[in-house]
């Protein structure tokens, strides 16, 4: 019987309240027995006597903070693991830099069957992405996935490898072509998510996919995560996770709640192969059969992203004078939401623009069952009153502060006008309205370091460029207590896991992170995760990886 008394720490035990700073409470010690929390409270003679009677090991934490294990509320695990193996172009600023970086990498990796890159943003190439800019670099297929994962820029050999020379556009996506119908090399939205993502996953060997999953879990452990909500699951990723789970003796060192990705459709009958598959798997992997390894719902893409003008806005883009419609019609979306809801699944709707946010709230409010805890992902541009509508319908606001980094939003005033930018990333509005907040990373589209992402959520300042002085809508900042709850209990609540994880409380699993930090938003950039514990076992130790 393993018993440990963790002492001389600051144990964050806030569970309820309105999330203001005065709600943050810290206790002095925590007793863990057989992977469960038996006590959190004052470090007094009584608890010391109880610990001694149980033969407990005493661990002195030297004044560190102890936080509930973070639960990344929006992550793409397989893609995260694979991204760790790709050439990262994020530091490039121009087409010449991109070309030189790829050329150098290609020369250094002559045996690689293809060249896989990530981190590209359209501003780096002045909004252009063409096969002619890549074809002379190397004869092997070149794939450049955008930082937001919504686009992929390919060479001609990559287009041919995928068999897309004359393929039709999928619903909700575009294979960009010239006037003669030749593929230009850019695939956006559903053309990327439904054609490129599966292809890149399939060309990897099963062993490579399992290795990528293992790398992803280790990366999450290193930032203090003990759980995640996987937000675009398919059979390829699920098979890799199941294989890894079997290799680890039937137990992953991190709990996973997965949403199955649904292909866009114009159908209004709610029929979907992916939905049928998700329903079947949820009957096998659920809170009763495997609470830490579940299919909890579906993921639906309602629009794209602002920077490529594919986010659905109520008013036209300032630069083009055009609007972009949501990917789904209200009728088609309502039918799928209704069918998933009746099957007991949670719906996660990707909605970045204000028109998509309205569509998503309407659909979940009209077709969702109260108490199902449906959710909307991103909510980057919303309208006044949306926060109250989220709260009224019990919809979780699933937010990713890394996307709110001001240095990434330099083009927004030109794209949408300064007035609309005043409603960007309205986290404080959602929280004040009473909506549940779940904080995630959206990795690998963004960094998955939780504490640094919370810095942006609480200060509205840039992590990427700390000299950048712009503060993005500071009135919508979350308090540190609100942000910490969003990354822990809020994410647990979003997937019905708050009864066994997400907080430091008696009777819950001993899932926690030991962090060297000061309790101020400004100090989060210096905060360091020292250890991560899952079910009372240490799964990450910074001292051993240094």
């Amino acid at each position: 019987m393993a018993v440990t008394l963790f002492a001389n720490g600051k144990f964050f035990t806030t569970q309820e309240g309105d999330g203001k700073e005065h709600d943050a409470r810290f206790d002095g010690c925590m007793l863990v027995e057989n992977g469960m929390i038996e006590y959190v409270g004052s470090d007094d003679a009584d608890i010391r006597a109880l610990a001694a009677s149980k033969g407990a090991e005493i661990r002195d934490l030297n004044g560190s903070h102890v936080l509930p294990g973070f639960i990344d509320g929006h992550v793409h695990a397989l893609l995260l693991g694979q991204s760790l193996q790709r050439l990262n172009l994020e530091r490039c600023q121009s087409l010449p830099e991109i070309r030189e970086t790829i050329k150098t990498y290609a020369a250094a990796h002559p045996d690689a069957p293809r060249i896989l890159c990530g981190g590209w943003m359209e501003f780096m190439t002045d909004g252009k992405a063409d096969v002619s800019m890549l074809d002379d670099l190397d004869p092997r297929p070149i794939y450049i996935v955008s930082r937001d994962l919504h686009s992929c820029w390919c060479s001609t050999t990559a287009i041919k490898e995928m068999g897309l020379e004359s393929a039709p556009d999928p619903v909700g996506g575009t294979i960009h072509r010239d006037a003669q119908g030749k593929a230009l090399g850019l695939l956006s939205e559903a053309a990327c998510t439904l054609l490129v993502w599966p292809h890149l996953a399939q060309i990897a060997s099963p062993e490579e996919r399992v290795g990528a999953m293992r790398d992803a879990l280790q990366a999450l452990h290193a930032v203090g995560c003990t759980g995640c909500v996987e937000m675009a699951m398919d059979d390829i990723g699920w098979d890799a996770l199941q294989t890894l789970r079997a290799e680890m003796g039937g137990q992953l060192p991190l709990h996973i709640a997965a949403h199955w990705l649904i292909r866009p459709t114009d159908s209004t009958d709610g029929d979907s192969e992916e939905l049928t598959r998700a329903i079947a798997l949820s009957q096998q992997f659920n809170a009763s059969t495997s609470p830490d390894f579940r299919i909890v719902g579906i993921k639906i893409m309602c629009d794209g992203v602002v920077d490529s003008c594919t986010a659905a806005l109520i008013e036209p883009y300032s630069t083009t004078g055009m609007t972009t419609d949501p990917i789904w019609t209200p009728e088609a979306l309502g039918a799928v939401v209704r069918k998933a809801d009746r099957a007991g699944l949670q719906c996660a709707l990707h909605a970045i623009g204000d028109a998509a946010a309205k569509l998503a709230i309407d659909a979940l409010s009209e077709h969702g069952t109260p108490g199902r805890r449906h959710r909307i992902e991103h909510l980057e541009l919303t309208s006044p009153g949306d926060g109250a509508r989220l709260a009224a319908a019990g919809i979780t606001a699933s937010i990713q502060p890394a996307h709110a980094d001001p240095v990434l939003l330099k083009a927004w005033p030109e794209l949408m006008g300064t007035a609309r930018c005043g409603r960007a990333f309205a986290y404080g509005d959602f929280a004040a309205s009473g909506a549940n907040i779940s904080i995630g990373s959206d990795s690998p589209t963004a960094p998955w370091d939780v504490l640094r992402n919370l810095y942006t959520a609480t200060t509205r300042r840039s992590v990427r460029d700390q000299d950048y002085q712009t503060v993005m809508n500071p009135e919508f900042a979350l308090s540190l207590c609100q942000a910490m709850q969003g990354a822990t209990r809020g994410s647990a609540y979003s997937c019905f896991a708050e009864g066994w994880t997400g907080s430091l409380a008696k009777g819950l699993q001993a899932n926690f992170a030991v962090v060297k930090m000061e309790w101020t938003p400004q100090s989060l950039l210096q905060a360091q995760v020292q250890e991560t514990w899952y079910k009372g076992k240490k799964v990450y130790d910074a001292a051993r990886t240094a």
Side-chain angles (χ1 to χ4, degrees):
M1 184 170 65
V3 185
T4 305
L5 180 67
F6 296 86
N8 189 19
K10 301 180 180 70
F11 296 79
F12 178 67
T13 53
T14 296
Q15 298 183 59
E16 303 293 345
D18 61 4
K20 301 300 182 185
E21 290 306 332
H22 61 262
D23 292 321
R25 192 183 82 231
F26 299 93
D27 285 315
C29 69
M30 180 170 70
L31 184 68
V32 174
E33 183 173 357
N34 294 330
M36 304 296 290
I37 299 172
E38 292 298 320
Y39 172 87
V40 183
S42 300
D43 188 354
D44 55 26
D46 289 342
I47 191 59
R48 288 284 177 161
L50 178 62
S53 72
K54 293 175 176 286
E57 175 191 358
I58 309 297
R59 291 185 62 91
D60 187 331
L61 298 180
N62 299 310
S64 294
H65 282 75
V66 179
L67 309 173
F70 298 129
I71 302 169
D72 192 318
H74 184 125
V75 69
H76 306 283
L78 179 58
L79 295 174
L80 169 58
Q82 291 177 326
S83 75
L84 299 173
Q85 304 160 358
R86 289 184 189 143
L87 173 62
N88 189 353
L89 302 176
E90 200 160 308
R91 294 187 178 276
C92 296
Q93 294 295 316
S94 65
L95 177 60
E97 284 187 46
I98 289 175
R99 285 174 53 83
E100 185 60 33
T101 301
I102 293 175
K103 190 180 297 185
T104 300
Y105 177 89
H109 297 80
D111 297 327
R114 54 190 61 81
I115 299 170
L116 305 178
C117 311
W120 162 66
M121 294 185 71
E122 291 188 10
F123 79 84
M124 299 174 183
T125 53
D126 296 324
K128 300 180 179 122
D130 192 282
V131 292
S132 63
M133 300 150 76
L134 300 175
D135 284 348
D136 64 326
L137 296 178
D138 197 274
R140 291 170 288 182
I142 300 174
Y143 296 85
I144 305 178
V145 180
S146 65
R147 186 187 65 81
D148 58 29
L149 298 185
H150 283 250
S151 302
C152 187
W153 171 23
C154 306
S155 65
T156 296
T157 49
I159 293 290
K160 289 180 178 179
E161 182 177 68
M162 290 187 285
L164 301 181
E165 301 100 309
S166 58
D169 289 344
V171 175
T174 304
I175 303 170
H176 294 264
R177 301 182 183 278
D178 63 18
Q180 287 71 47
K182 178 184 176 184
L184 293 172
L186 179 63
L187 295 88
S188 56
E189 299 308 331
C192 181
T193 58
L194 299 179
L195 301 178
V196 180
W197 288 12
H199 175 74
L200 293 181
Q202 287 169 347
I203 60 177
S205 68
E207 294 77 17
E208 289 171 331
R209 293 195 288 267
V210 171
M213 280 295 189
R214 183 181 289 106
D215 290 347
L217 300 194
Q218 291 173 350
L220 291 171
H221 282 156
V223 297
C225 287
T226 56
C228 69
V229 181
E230 159 62 47
M231 202 43 79
M233 186 54 70
D234 60 14
D235 278 306
I236 293 173
W238 190 246
D239 287 347
L241 270 177
Q242 288 198 84
T243 301
L244 180 59
R245 185 175 182 235
E247 289 180 1
M248 291 184 164
Q251 173 69 65
L252 291 173
L254 178 146
H255 60 85
I256 295 178
H259 286 256
W260 208 261
L261 183 62
I262 303 298
R263 185 183 300 266
T265 178
D266 293 326
S267 170
T268 58
D269 58 13
D271 289 340
S272 161
E273 290 183 12
E274 294 87 3
L275 178 53
T276 300
R277 177 71 169 144
I279 292 171
L281 285 172
S282 71
Q283 294 169 351
Q284 183 179 357
F285 300 95
N286 53 58
S288 298
T289 61
S290 55
D292 55 356
F293 189 70
R294 299 176 287 150
I295 299 295
V296 298
I298 60 171
K299 164 76 176 297
I300 296 175
M301 304 288 291
C302 293
D303 69 343
V305 293
V306 170
D307 294 273
S308 61
C309 297
T310 54
L313 304 184
I314 294 173
E315 298 294 331
Y317 283 90
S318 301
T319 49
T320 66
M322 299 175 64
T323 57
T324 298
D325 292 330
I327 295 172
W328 292 71
T329 65
E331 295 77 17
L333 180 61
V336 172
V337 167
R338 185 167 55 252
K339 188 170 183 177
D341 179 272
R342 300 303 181 266
L345 296 181
Q346 295 179 270
C347 298
L349 309 187
H350 165 117
I352 283 181
D354 52 4
K358 181 181 185 304
L359 172 71
I361 297 173
D362 288 347
L364 296 178
S365 299
E366 180 179 352
H367 302 288
T369 299
R372 189 75 74 202
R373 300 185 191 176
H374 297 302
R375 50 195 291 149
I376 300 179
E377 310 304 305
H378 309 305
L379 292 165
E380 294 186 4
L381 186 69
T382 54
S383 302
D386 280 351
R389 295 190 66 205
L390 292 170
I395 300 170
T396 289
S398 175
I399 60 174
Q400 299 75 41
H403 293 323
D405 191 309
V407 80
L408 299 176
L409 309 175
K410 293 179 181 179
W412 279 38
E414 181 181 359
L415 287 169
M416 299 188 300
T418 55
R420 273 188 291 186
C421 288
R423 282 291 307 176
F425 304 96
Y427 303 159
D429 178 37
F430 307 152
S433 298
N436 180 56
I437 301 291
S438 171
I439 291 181
S441 66
D442 199 14
S443 65
T445 76
W448 55 94
D449 189 317
V450 181
L451 293 167
R452 280 149 187 76
N453 289 343
L454 297 190
Y455 171 84
T456 297
T458 54
T459 68
R460 310 290 287 200
R461 299 182 66 92
S462 177
V463 171
R464 293 169 179 263
D465 184 353
Q466 294 164 37
D467 294 327
Y468 191 62
Q469 296 301 308
T470 297
V471 181
M472 187 67 180
N473 298 340
E475 68 274 17
F476 291 140
L478 297 175
S479 72
L480 182 50
C481 188
Q482 285 175 317
M484 201 64 72
Q485 287 176 303
T488 54
R489 188 176 187 274
S491 287
Y493 178 89
S494 75
C495 59
F496 292 94
E498 78 277 10
W500 49 270
T501 192
S503 304
L504 301 182
K506 178 179 171 60
L508 272 61
Q509 290 181 2
N511 302 334
F512 60 93
V514 180
V515 182
K516 184 178 181 180
M517 67 177 293
E518 299 295 329
W519 190 261
T520 65
Q522 292 73 24
S523 68
L524 289 172
L525 290 178
Q526 289 75 47
Q528 297 178 332
V529 173
Q530 297 172 303
E531 298 174 353
T532 304
W533 293 70
Y534 181 64
K535 294 185 177 180
K537 296 181 180 179
K538 185 162 40 175
V539 293
Y540 171 76
D541 189 338
R544 293 186 178 180
T545 59

